[in-house]
Every structure is written in C-alpha cells, then in structure tokens.
C-alpha cells in the first residue's frame, strides 16, 4: 500500500498513529487496553523501542517513539500491531461478557477479506502515519496533542488524570503504566515543572 507517510531516521522521534479498522471503539474495555500496555512494555524491553509518549484512545493509539541503535522502528511497530491484533481478537472471541463480540468479529472478518495480507481478521488499519519530529516545536505540538486527546474527547478534565497515557509521567513526575524515555533536549519544553 503506497503512502506519503514513511518512517525516517530511527534515532529521531516519530509521531505514530494506528487506528482500529472502521474506527471501532474496542478500547472502551480495560482488558483490551491492558493488552496494548503489556505489548508496549515488551517492545521496550525486548525489541528496542524507545517510547517517549503514548495514549490509548477508544479506537486508536498515538505514540511518540524512536528505536534504539541497531533496531528499526518500522519493524517494531509492525510486530507490535501484529501481536496486539492477534491477542485482542483472541480476547474478544473468548470474552463471554463482551456484548459486542459477534458484531466486532464480523467487522474484523469483513475487513480481513478485503485485504490479501490477512488470513481471517484485520484489526488495525494498515497505515501508521509516522511523522518524523525533527524540531522541538514539532515535538511540543505533537506531545500536547497526544496528551490533550482524552481531555478533548471528554474522558477527563485534565490530561494527567487519564490512566492510559504518559501524561502522568510528564505532568506529575510519577511513573505511569508504561516506562517512557524522556528526551533530554526537550525536557524544558515538555515539562514545565522541570526547572522547579
């Protein structure tokens, strides 16, 4: 699939967005968000992911990420999406309390049939929309957008109160659910409390 969005220099942070097919609100259930959280932690530990910021919304995920030396960000994101799609679909299939199970699986199957890269289901849209962040201004803009997403959506009144985000790390100096790698060049821009 041709796209104007390409991964650039692995050492530079990228703003990455991946969405569920048909923008299905899968992540209204905590158990599915936890699968993404666990996968992010695994990719940090084992696959060379430098995660600088993240948020899980109801139907999409935003990351600011780069890759450690000798790793490729495109491969990390590919593996993350592949693994989480299998785990989330499996969790939906086995969740007897999931009132939307048949409907969601039908939509994932329909999307899978339209894409020859799939055997049965397609969970994530194929594109990631990576944007290389080459300036502090770009980083600050994307970081604020990412963290303010739950506020704009009406989920919380302040960004740091949203559990499935790195806002807690940035605004309250507390460790959130997933360890983040702060970029030293940008800490004063990102963290107003840094100079305190």
């Amino acid at each position: 699939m041709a796209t104007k969005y390409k991964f650039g220099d692995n050492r530079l942070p990228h703003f990455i967005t991946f969405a569920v097919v048909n923008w299905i609100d899968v992540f209204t259930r905590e158990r599915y968000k936890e699968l993404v959280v666990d996968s992010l932690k695994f990719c940090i530990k084992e696959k060379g992911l430098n995660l600088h910021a993240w948020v899980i919304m109801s139907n999409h995920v935003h990351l600011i990420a780069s890759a450690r030396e000798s790793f490729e960000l495109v491969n990390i994101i590919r593996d993350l999406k592949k693994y989480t799609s299998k785990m989330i679909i499996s969790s939906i299939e086995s969740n007897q309390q999931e009132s939307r199970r048949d409907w969601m699986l039908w939509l994932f199957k329909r999307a899978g049939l339209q894409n020859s890269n799939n055997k049965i289901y397609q969970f994530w849209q194929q594109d990631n929309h990576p944007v290389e962040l080459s300036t502090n201004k770009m980083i600050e803009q994307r970081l604020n957008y990412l963290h303010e997403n739950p506020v704009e959506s009406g989920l919380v009144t302040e960004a740091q109160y949203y559990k499935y985000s790195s806002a807690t790390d940035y605004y309250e100096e507390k460790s959130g659910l997933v360890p983040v790698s702060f970029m030293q060049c940008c800490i004063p821009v990102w963290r107003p409390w840094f100079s305190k």
Side-chain angles (χ1 to χ4, degrees):
M1 173 181 233
T3 179
K4 66 178 183 172
Y5 297 97
K6 301 281 185 199
F7 284 93
D9 185 343
N10 282 302
R11 298 169 295 172
L12 291 177
H14 286 68
F15 180 78
I16 304 162
T17 300
F18 40 100
V20 179
V21 294
N22 299 310
W23 295 91
I24 302 167
D25 290 321
V26 173
F27 300 116
T28 56
R29 308 279 196 248
E30 194 153 349
R31 75 188 288 174
Y32 309 138
K33 287 186 277 210
E34 288 296 329
L35 291 168
V36 176
V37 166
D38 291 343
S39 296
L40 287 170
K41 290 178 184 176
F42 179 81
C43 288
I44 291 166
K45 187 176 179 186
E46 302 293 335
K47 295 221 169 240
L49 178 66
N50 281 329
L51 186 62
H52 308 294
W54 63 281
V55 66
I56 302 172
M57 298 301 292
S58 66
N59 53 25
H60 65 284
V61 174
H62 292 301
L63 307 176
I64 296 177
S66 59
R68 292 196 300 269
E69 191 172 334
S70 77
F71 291 94
E72 296 285 330
L73 190 56
V74 66
N75 295 338
I76 298 167
I77 300 302
R78 179 202 62 216
D79 292 350
L80 173 72
K81 288 176 68 177
K82 185 176 180 180
Y83 180 77
T84 54
S85 67
K86 286 180 184 177
M87 296 306 294
I88 294 167
I89 286 174
S90 176
S91 184
I92 291 169
E93 287 176 322
S94 65
N95 185 356
Q96 297 301 314
Q97 281 76 45
E98 178 54 76
S99 60
R100 307 166 302 155
R101 181 176 57 186
D102 292 340
W103 171 74
M104 287 193 294
L105 292 173
W106 179 79
L107 286 171
F108 297 144
K109 190 171 191 175
R110 190 178 79 172
L113 290 172
Q114 296 171 4
N115 183 342
S116 62
N117 293 331
N118 299 301
K119 292 183 181 172
I120 300 174
Y121 298 115
Q122 180 171 337
F123 181 79
W124 296 112
Q125 294 177 24
Q126 274 195 260
D127 212 345
N128 303 310
H129 297 285
V131 176
E132 185 178 283
L133 305 180
S134 55
T135 68
N136 280 0
K137 183 176 180 179
M138 290 176 73
I139 292 168
E140 181 181 15
Q141 189 275 329
R142 293 310 195 293
L143 184 70
N144 288 336
Y145 173 82
L146 181 152
H147 285 155
E148 291 297 318
N149 223 279
V151 177
E152 294 295 320
S153 297
L155 298 172
V156 290
T157 56
E158 294 184 39
Q160 65 269 28
Y161 299 142
Y162 188 61
K163 180 178 177 181
Y164 292 96
S165 164
S166 55
T168 298
D169 300 275
Y170 282 93
Y171 298 112
E172 292 192 353
E173 296 185 81
K174 295 179 185 174
S175 294
L177 295 177
V178 180
V180 294
S181 299
F182 297 111
M183 292 179 280
Q184 295 302 313
C185 68
C186 306
I187 285 176
V189 173
W190 289 1
R191 298 166 81 179
W193 44 261
F194 180 76
S195 60
K196 290 181 183 176

